[in-house]
Amino acid sequence: MWFAPIPENLPATVPFVGPEAQERRRGAPYTARIGANENGFGPSPRAIEAMAREAAEIWKYGDSDNHELRHALATHHGCDPDCIMVGEGIDALLGLTVRLMVAPGDVVITSDGAYPTFNYHVAGFGGDLVKLPYRDDREDLAALLDQAAERQARLVYFANPDNPMGSWHEGSEIAARLDQIPQGCLLILDEAYAEFAPDSALPVIDPADRRVIRMRTFSKAYGMAGARIGYAIGAPDLIAGFDRIRNHFGVNRIAQAGALAALKDAAWLEHIRQRVDAARARIGRIAAGNGLSALPSATNFVAIDCGRDGAFARAVLADLDRAGVFVRMPGVAPLDRCIRVSCAPEAELDAFAAALPQALKAAGRA
Amino acid sequence: MWFAPIPENLPATVPFVGPEAQERRRGAPYTARIGANENGFGPSPRAIEAMAREAAEIWKYGDSDNHELRHALATHHGCDPDCIMVGEGIDALLGLTVRLMVAPGDVVITSDGAYPTFNYHVAGFGGDLVKLPYRDDREDLAALLDQAAERQARLVYFANPDNPMGSWHEGSEIAARLDQIPQGCLLILDEAYAEFAPDSALPVIDPADRRVIRMRTFSKAYGMAGARIGYAIGAPDLIAGFDRIRNHFGVNRIAQAGALAALKDAAWLEHIRQRVDAARARIGRIAAGNGLSALPSATNFVAIDCGRDGAFARAVLADLDRAGVFVRMPGVAPLDRCIRVSCAPEAELDAFAAALPQALKAAGRA
């Protein structure tokens, strides 16, 4: 045996193949990069300026406490700075949360078709992952928590709004279910898309509530996916636990400066929300114009129901790819009847609109 | 119990307190930031320009394969791209290497006083760390490998050149000892400071040799500590192991662009080497002018022997800190008779030169 037992038995896998890797495979760049829910409207010009300025200071390690950003986030959320941990994007924070909570063989609950990177981390630390079906294209929080109690789970993953379907729950529904979280179990509430959702979709939860950890990011509404910076909100003793295992100097100094500037530019965030609203509506019209229905979305992407099975949707996706349009789709049935299109500037949606009729035809629709 | 067993039993610790955190504690910024072996001469202007330019593209995730940089590094080192893994700095790569190799209770060998962040990762994954003494202010490779054989160790950590002492071994000595690496054990050769060392200090090792993994970084000679980007060189099947557990989209996109530009600017690297040589010499003169001796160094820092015990050196350090000069020192005897001063531009060394006599006096030297 070469590796330690857990990694030795892991497959060599990657949760997502990135668009650059796909461009290398297909031998040409994409015309439209609308598959990874990146925010093509871009970050605040002030954030770009702050990042460009910080480039000359990159010889210094970043502040290991992320002090300034953490305090600004605490003010933003009206909570204590001790309730906030900044990390290298939600992906890294999910990995650390799994490592903090899950011993080999411990049960973790998620939805079948939900965020694959979370599943990757659970496998990576030897957790026993239980997947429950979506219900009406939404993650089924009641069922997830029932199963958590039955299986004595350590973690439940729940995204609101949901990726890949774009669906959501009302915040009041979520808050009302917190008492069903079993003792010794932590609910991960992934709110990567929170800034795109209606206010009523965001539950009011005491940050000091030890049963829940919320995940937020600068990758989506703030348009900084490549910066790798996000944060967790939770009880101080849970948040302090990250200090036992995190890579203390892991956050990029330019990302720290950019996130701080982005957070302060509320007007840009509002501008982004309006652009995303308009793009969501346009994706809906493109779908309808092709006889397809777009699912309601509280995110910066739209799941388009292609009206048949996964094989059909995969064929549509393959032809869009051939035409230079990068789109992704859910991995499992029945979600995989859909393709998932990210909100983006007009030119990219033009390319999608132009390619879709042919893709549906190529996939075999009469 | 709240956390999983391993993190539950870890102390809330941090391998280093960062300079920003120390500035907050002392209530004033430092005049000289010469404690973390950062490179105050800065990165290549071309790297700064590339990073500033990439800021506007930060809405895109970075390339999960680090394809372009990995290929450029392969050319640079004359090896196959499959022998290279790019990651979020050596700190992150060390954590992943420990996770890949060490199961709870497995033995890991290092030197007492060597890189604390490595020890932090070993503890973080439940490894059993064995520390051997330095010998004549150098890590003792022969003893480390003997102990590895005796204890059936999974990993041996060995830095060349060494941090915190700045000492080094000849590459030929290291190469001659590779056959002593026991079966099932991996030698981590941390070469963070390689670009500052004489060529003869760098061993010739076949990148495909499965017994060794080398660590390199853009944090030191390339002046990009805050970017969090480094790489490992090793056998393809070992390197591929990282794909089982790494955060695939973890490297900052701006860091990727900056590292690529920095690697291509060989003239700037040569310029940095010359500046560092001059600064090393000046630190030596400052030490001598105060009746202290500077240890020989193959790095961008100098260990100054304060001539007494650790308590004395700590008192010197405390007074330098009071005077606004950020310096660090080794953590254990007998190394802790020294303080460790990073090479830096003239103004910062001026501040150090001005503060040192008073610091020695404050520490109790007649």
Side-chain angles (χ1 to χ4, degrees), chain B residues 11-258:
Chain B
T13 184
V14 52
F16 292 105
V17 178
E20 282 85 358
Q22 292 189 200
E23 286 176 333
R24 285 188 292 271
R25 285 182 199 179
R26 62 194 294 276
Y30 286 116
T31 311
R33 182 170 165 135
I34 52 176
N37 304 339
E38 294 163 329
N39 177 353
F41 302 113
S44 155
R46 292 186 200 170
I48 295 176
E49 194 192 322
M51 288 187 278
R53 202 169 45 235
E54 197 68 19
E57 302 298 313
I58 204 68
W59 62 272
K60 300 173 193 163
Y61 288 101
D63 173 19
S64 58
D65 293 337
N66 300 285
H67 183 269
E68 208 176 344
L69 179 59
R70 207 157 44 82
H71 282 250
L73 287 166
T75 301
H76 183 75
H77 288 288
C79 69
D80 193 283
D82 290 347
C83 293
I84 293 186
M85 175 56 65
V86 173
E88 305 94 318
I90 290 181
D91 282 359
L93 289 165
L94 286 174
L96 290 172
T97 304
V98 171
R99 186 175 159 199
L100 213 43
M101 297 295 293
V102 176
D106 280 351
V107 172
V108 175
I109 314 280
T110 189
S111 304
D112 196 14
Y115 195 46
T117 304
F118 178 71
N119 304 356
Y120 172 80
H121 289 310
V122 173
F125 291 102
D128 182 6
L129 192 67
V130 175
K131 298 176 186 175
L132 302 189
Y134 276 58
R135 186 190 186 99
D136 300 331
D137 296 325
R138 301 200 308 169
E139 296 187 26
D140 186 349
L141 182 57
L144 293 168
L145 293 177
D146 279 352
Q147 190 67 205
E150 193 174 313
R151 303 287 298 261
Q152 298 185 282
R154 291 284 288 159
L155 287 176
V156 172
Y157 176 87
F158 177 68
N160 187 64
D162 175 67
N163 175 18
M165 302 308 278
S167 56
W168 70 100
H169 291 254
E170 285 300 297
S172 56
E173 294 174 59
I174 297 169
R177 293 207 183 276
L178 298 185
D179 287 341
Q180 291 172 38
I181 300 170
Q183 190 79 22
C185 178
L186 181 69
L187 176 67
I188 300 177
L189 181 57
D190 185 342
E191 299 185 323
Y193 298 94
E195 294 85 359
F196 301 116
D199 285 348
S200 67
L202 304 180
V204 176
I205 300 175
D206 180 356
D209 191 324
R210 298 172 90 238
R211 302 170 299 181
V212 184
I213 187 165
R214 301 170 88 140
M215 299 287 178
R216 296 287 185 103
T217 185
F218 287 91
S219 296
K220 303 301 179 185
Y222 292 101
M224 291 174 52
R228 314 317 300 129
I229 186 159
Y231 57 103
I233 309 172
D237 58 349
L238 173 61
I239 292 299
F242 287 106
D243 279 338
R244 303 177 184 205
I245 59 168
R246 74 187 177 102
N247 193 359
H248 290 264
F249 290 87
V251 178
N252 180 295
R253 187 175 185 97
I254 292 173
Q256 291 173 330

Side-chain angles (χ1 to χ4, degrees), chain A residues 194-210:
Chain A
E195 294 85 358
F196 301 116
D199 285 347
S200 66
L202 303 180
V204 177
I205 301 175
D206 180 355
D209 191 323
R210 297 172 89 238

